[in-house]
Amino acid sequence: QVVAVYGTLSDLLSVASSKLGIKATSVYNGKGGLIDDIALIRDDDVLFVCEGEPFIDPQTDGRAQEELTGSHTDWLTLNVGGRYFTTTRSTLVNKEPDSMLAHMFKDKDAWGNKQDPRGAFLIDRSPEYFEPILNYLRHGQLIVNDGINLLGVLEEARFFGIDSLIEHLEIAIKNSQPAEDHSPISRKEFVRFLLATPTKSELRCQGLNFSGADLSRLDLRYINFKMANLSRCNLAHANLCCANLERADLSGSVLDCANLQGVKMLCSNAEGASLKGCNFEDPSGLKANLEGANLKGVDMEGSQMTGINLRVATLKNAKLKNCNLRGATLAGTDLENCDLSGCDLQEANLRGSNVKGAIFEEMLTPLHMSQSVR
């Protein structure tokens, strides 16, 4: 401050206190000499006023001055989102010298840090997530209190550029995730899902694991079981009308007397399954589609399969005794060693099918095969 010097030394101290906002008690000249009489002051003199502390020559080593005043390397206070943290500058700088915090406080006022009325440096971030970061900079250990979201701490660590902490947090988050549960869904769980779902809403069960579950006699109409694991399931008497079983695993399952009207079983695997007495025939004309399905060794005795699409399906060693296959598409189907005795194959398309070793005894209608039948 530039002031006019007049009156007594007490007057000067009073003016200095008012101008500088301190309680001035002593005045020194530029060389550290204590002034006890205003007559000793000359024009253009630079004076140093203090509240009683000893004189420090500003021309001396700046580091020594900082150690005495604590203004640069010692304690400072941060106001993070309204919460105060007291720490040392070295804590913020030394462990992660390339971080944003280090750059903010490495050189005094290098970033022009804003301070609140209490002199604390203002940082507009979450104090909840900042605390674990500050503790990590203090002792190098990641310690997060219960209830603190690790993802929030991770985002703050990324913001402040604390690279070594980011790796620790990513590992901690990965370890905190629950292990994937691949256990099959039970009947009780599935029934609860069914009851909680409106009848007209699509229930998506795509890719789920029902292996070995008892789903017998349940209403499973229109449900999407695409690529689901239904191996060894009990689906006897279940209503699977228009259900989507495309690429589903039905191997070893029991579907006896199930309603399969309009079902989609393209490329499904039903090897060794039992489908005795099933109904694939939809009175409305919607045809069941089992194109490309693996039906090796299935037992479909007595099933109603009018108009069913079994194109290029594999039915090797299957039991199709007394089935109604009227108008069925069996083009390119592997019927090797199948038992087709008593079947109704009127208007069925067997073009290009493999009937090697197949049994056609006691058929309800004569079978007229084209030359392309193998």
Side-chain angles (χ1 to χ4, degrees):
Q1 297 282 348
V2 179
V3 298
V5 178
Y6 57 89
T8 65
L9 183 62
S10 297
D11 294 330
L12 175 59
L13 291 173
S14 178
V15 172
S17 297
S18 176
K19 294 285 186 180
L20 302 177
I22 64 174
K23 187 177 181 180
T25 60
S26 304
V27 180
Y28 295 91
N29 63 20
K31 296 183 179 180
L34 179 62
I35 296 176
D36 57 6
D37 189 341
I38 198 170
L40 299 174
I41 300 174
R42 298 290 180 265
D43 289 344
D44 298 326
D45 273 355
V46 176
L47 305 178
F48 295 86
V49 183
C50 68
E51 294 181 300
E53 65 270 22
F55 175 79
I56 300 171
D57 188 350
Q59 303 302 321
T60 59
D61 189 343
R63 288 174 298 177
Q65 180 180 353
E66 289 160 4
E67 291 171 1
L68 289 171
T69 63
S71 63
H72 186 56
T73 60
D74 210 341
W75 296 95
L76 49 81
T77 301
L78 308 178
N79 180 345
V80 182
R83 181 175 165 189
Y84 288 89
F85 296 88
T86 301
T87 185
T88 62
R89 198 178 300 270
S90 59
T91 295
L92 302 175
V93 171
N94 292 347
K95 185 169 181 61
E96 288 281 344
D98 295 325
S99 69
M100 179 186 291
L101 280 173
H103 286 297
M104 288 172 68
F105 295 100
K106 184 183 298 180
D107 299 317
K108 188 177 181 181
D109 298 329
W111 278 48
N113 299 324
K114 300 295 184 181
Q115 293 174 270
D116 67 9
R118 294 172 53 177
F121 293 98
L122 291 163
I123 299 178
D124 185 21
R125 303 299 294 183
S126 167
E128 183 179 48
Y129 301 140
F130 181 78
E131 184 176 12
I133 292 175
L134 180 58
N135 285 332
Y136 174 77
L137 294 175
R138 284 168 171 159
H139 47 62
Q141 299 295 320
L142 173 60
I143 300 174
V144 181
N145 295 332
D146 293 339
I148 303 298
N149 192 329
L150 288 175
L151 289 173
V153 181
L154 176 60
E155 287 306 309
E156 293 302 286
R158 287 173 174 164
F159 175 80
F160 289 114
I162 316 296
D163 292 338
S164 59
L165 179 57
I166 292 173
E167 184 177 353
H168 286 299
L169 284 165
E170 288 175 341
I171 294 173
I173 290 171
K174 182 178 180 180
N175 292 337
S176 67
Q177 299 298 320
E180 292 186 14
D181 185 7
H182 296 289
S183 58
I185 297 172
S186 67
R187 179 186 179 92
K188 182 177 180 180
E189 290 175 308
F190 192 54
V191 168
R192 187 164 60 247
F193 297 152
L194 288 175
L195 293 175
T197 306
T199 306
K200 295 183 179 180
S201 298
E202 180 187 15
L203 184 60
R204 301 184 63 184
C205 298
Q206 183 169 328
L208 297 184
N209 183 8
F210 296 91
S211 179
D214 179 8
L215 304 179
S216 60
R217 302 182 183 277
L218 292 179
D219 186 354
L220 307 175
R221 290 174 295 172
Y222 301 100
I223 293 179
N224 183 359
F225 287 108
K226 186 175 181 180
M227 295 185 288
N229 182 0
L230 293 157
S231 61
R232 304 185 311 280
C233 277
N234 182 4
L235 289 159
H237 298 276
N239 187 355
L240 287 158
C241 176
C242 296
N244 186 353
L245 292 162
E246 183 178 346
R247 300 184 185 276
D249 185 359
L250 291 155
S251 57
S253 293
V254 176
L255 292 94
D256 295 345
C257 301
N259 183 3
L260 297 168
Q261 294 177 344
V263 72
K264 296 178 182 179
M265 291 178 60
L266 287 81
C267 302
S268 60
N269 176 24
E271 184 171 353
S274 178
L275 292 92
K276 291 186 290 186
C278 287
N279 181 23
F280 290 89
E281 185 178 350
D282 188 349
S284 67
L286 185 62
K287 298 180 180 180
N289 191 347
L290 280 74
E291 184 172 335
N294 177 12
L295 301 167
K296 288 182 181 179
V298 298
D299 187 349
M300 304 178 79
E301 183 175 349
S303 292
Q304 295 296 317
M305 294 186 282
T306 301
I308 192 172
N309 182 2
L310 287 165
R311 183 176 175 274
V312 298
T314 301
L315 284 153
K316 187 176 181 179
N317 300 318
K319 296 178 182 179
L320 298 169
K321 190 174 182 179
N322 299 323
C323 285
N324 182 357
L325 287 163
R326 184 184 292 262
T329 300
L330 295 163
T333 303
D334 185 358
L335 296 168
E336 184 177 348
N337 297 325
C338 280
D339 185 355
L340 292 158
S341 58
C343 284
D344 183 352
L345 287 162
Q346 186 174 348
E347 300 178 0
N349 180 5
L350 288 158
R351 184 180 299 275
S353 61
N354 176 18
V355 295
K356 180 180 179 181
I359 300 173
F360 293 98
E361 298 175 357
E362 302 176 2
M363 296 178 59
L364 296 180
T365 57
L367 175 65
H368 302 285
M369 300 182 184
S370 65
Q371 292 183 351
S372 59
V373 175
R374 301 194 301 277

